[in-house]
Amino acid sequence: MSLSRILPIANLVGCLLITGIIVAQWLKERGLDSKIQSLSQQLATTREQYDTEKKRTAALESDVAQLKESVESTVKARKESEDAMAKLIAERDAQNASTAEAASQANQEQVKIWEKAIADRDEKIRTLNESLTATRARLDEAVAKLKAAGAR
């Protein structure tokens, strides 16, 4: 085989080999393109999920902040109502104490009035008893004188 015949065959084999390499690279590139497209879709989906989760996180943080405010206002309102209730109880206790003190003083004054009335009544009874005793003694004397005068 002469060199003039080997060269075109070698050229043909080289062209076929290069064509095979080009086709293999093209197929590989198509596979990579499909992988890139798939990865791009996954990236877009992941970004959408990230944005959704980011919005959800912001909403949850907002809800937590509102809940904290609500709890704080509830605690403050409870404390204010407890303070008001304690104040009302203290006022009621003070009023009850003053009412009880006034009632006690009125009772003591009434007892003193009754004691004086009883003492006055007892004194009047003693006076009347003494007067009755004196009258009885005079009556007995008069009866004795009458009996003595009647026996004579």
Side-chain angles (χ1 to χ4, degrees):
M1 281 220 185
S2 76
L3 188 59
S4 61
R5 279 195 113 197
I6 292 182
L7 218 43
I9 292 177
N11 193 10
L12 177 66
V13 170
C15 283
L16 286 178
L17 186 61
I18 290 176
T19 303
I21 291 173
I22 290 174
V23 168
Q25 285 181 342
W26 178 73
L27 289 173
K28 184 177 178 183
E29 191 174 313
R30 276 190 70 192
L32 289 176
D33 281 344
S34 100
K35 282 184 181 180
I36 288 173
Q37 187 177 11
S38 171
L39 289 175
S40 294
Q41 288 176 350
Q42 286 178 357
L43 179 63
T45 304
T46 304
R47 283 183 179 164
E48 287 176 13
Q49 289 175 347
Y50 173 75
D51 290 341
T52 304
E53 290 300 319
K54 193 173 180 180
K55 288 177 185 176
R56 184 173 175 246
T57 301
L60 288 175
E61 287 175 354
S62 172
D63 289 346
V64 166
Q66 289 176 352
L67 184 61
K68 282 182 181 179
E69 286 178 20
S70 174
V71 166
E72 288 173 0
S73 67
T74 302
V75 167
K76 183 179 178 183
R78 188 182 116 239
K79 183 173 174 85
E80 288 173 357
S81 66
E82 284 177 351
D83 292 344
M85 183 64 78
K87 183 179 177 184
L88 286 174
I89 288 171
E91 287 175 0
R92 187 194 67 200
D93 289 346
Q95 186 179 15
N96 287 345
S98 67
T99 303
E101 181 67 27
S104 175
Q105 287 177 355
N107 288 340
Q108 287 175 355
E109 289 175 11
Q110 189 65 39
V111 167
K112 287 178 184 178
I113 291 170
W114 288 344
E115 286 175 348
K116 186 174 187 261
I118 289 172
D120 290 346
R121 184 200 66 181
D122 288 347
E123 185 60 35
K124 200 180 238 185
I125 289 173
R126 271 190 225 105
T127 305
L128 289 174
N129 192 23
E130 288 172 4
S131 175
L132 184 59
T133 304
T135 304
R136 183 177 284 154
R138 280 192 320 244
L139 184 58
D140 286 343
E141 236 176 77
V143 169
K145 283 184 186 180
L146 209 81
K147 280 187 186 179
R152 293 191 214 168

